Amino acid sequence: MKKGIISYGEAFIDFIAKNESNTDFDPFLGGTTVNVAVGVQKLGAKASYICKLGSDETSDFVRKKLLIEGVNQSGCVTSVTKKVCEVYIHKSKEGDRYFHSYIDSTPHEQVYKYELQEALFEKAAIFYFGSGTLFHPISQETTREAVRLAKKISYAGSF
């Protein structure tokens, strides 16, 4: 059985302005750790994603896009109060894109270490996480536990 990767971090929705008026936006799935999972899946390897999602429209957008891309979401955790991070990208008169704003309405809504699924790590050869998981005490603790699980599985005979 080929082993894939696990990517852990925050999902984002990138709202990219349609024109220089910066009043109408197209939503795109974003965030480094999401991009890694989707990219690996597109290359033909199996990718799983771990993040916390809400029960609102923006979280449903993320779930739908990950499903379309074939990314395993079994490691994602749902909280009714979680809001997905939003990034607004504006366009200048010349058509250049620039980051206008970043919104994280629920920064304390993080995946807890006890919410990690050890079985998911048994199906992965690589564990990837973004540096953003080290900024908050909860996600930092979860990252440490995920690294421990990844090491435990690799040392158990994956080499």
Side-chain angles (χ1 to χ4, degrees):
M1 175 179 83
K2 289 185 181 178
K3 291 189 171 195
I5 72 143
I6 297 171
S7 187
Y8 164 53
E10 284 282 343
F12 288 75
I13 297 181
D14 295 337
F15 291 97
I16 301 177
K18 292 183 177 184
N19 56 45
E20 67 277 354
S21 73
N22 297 311
T23 56
D24 197 15
F25 299 86
D26 286 320
F28 293 90
L29 184 60
T32 304
T33 54
V34 167
N35 293 341
V36 167
V38 169
V40 165
Q41 191 70 33
K42 284 183 176 186
L43 290 172
K46 294 294 178 191
S48 296
Y49 193 61
I50 298 173
C51 74
K52 187 162 274 191
L53 295 170
S55 56
D56 60 350
E57 225 175 90
T58 54
S59 291
D60 289 344
F61 176 85
V62 171
R63 285 184 189 90
K64 180 182 174 187
K65 293 299 183 182
L66 288 173
L67 181 66
I68 289 168
E69 296 296 347
V71 175
N72 176 357
Q73 300 175 56
S74 66
C76 294
V77 180
T78 300
S79 165
V80 295
T81 57
K82 174 67 177 171
K83 302 289 183 205
V84 174
C85 297
E86 299 176 357
V87 176
Y88 285 84
I89 297 104
H90 284 196
K91 286 188 179 178
S92 69
K93 291 176 189 171
E94 296 78 27
D96 295 323
R97 294 178 178 172
Y98 63 94
F99 288 93
H100 180 266
S101 56
Y102 162 79
I103 301 167
D104 185 357
S105 302
T106 55
H108 298 299
E109 285 281 352
Q110 301 290 327
V111 176
Y112 287 91
K113 70 178 184 178
Y114 64 82
E115 294 174 310
L116 295 172
Q117 302 169 22
E118 188 168 341
L120 192 62
F121 287 81
E122 293 169 0
K123 299 175 186 172
I126 296 170
F127 172 64
Y128 172 80
F129 62 95
S131 61
T133 67
L134 302 176
F135 299 152
H136 192 280
I138 294 169
S139 59
Q140 186 180 73
E141 188 177 338
T142 302
T143 302
R144 284 192 181 114
E145 178 62 12
V147 168
R148 187 192 70 75
L149 287 171
K151 284 181 177 180
K152 174 182 169 185
I153 300 303
S154 2
Y155 291 137
S158 294
F159 290 108

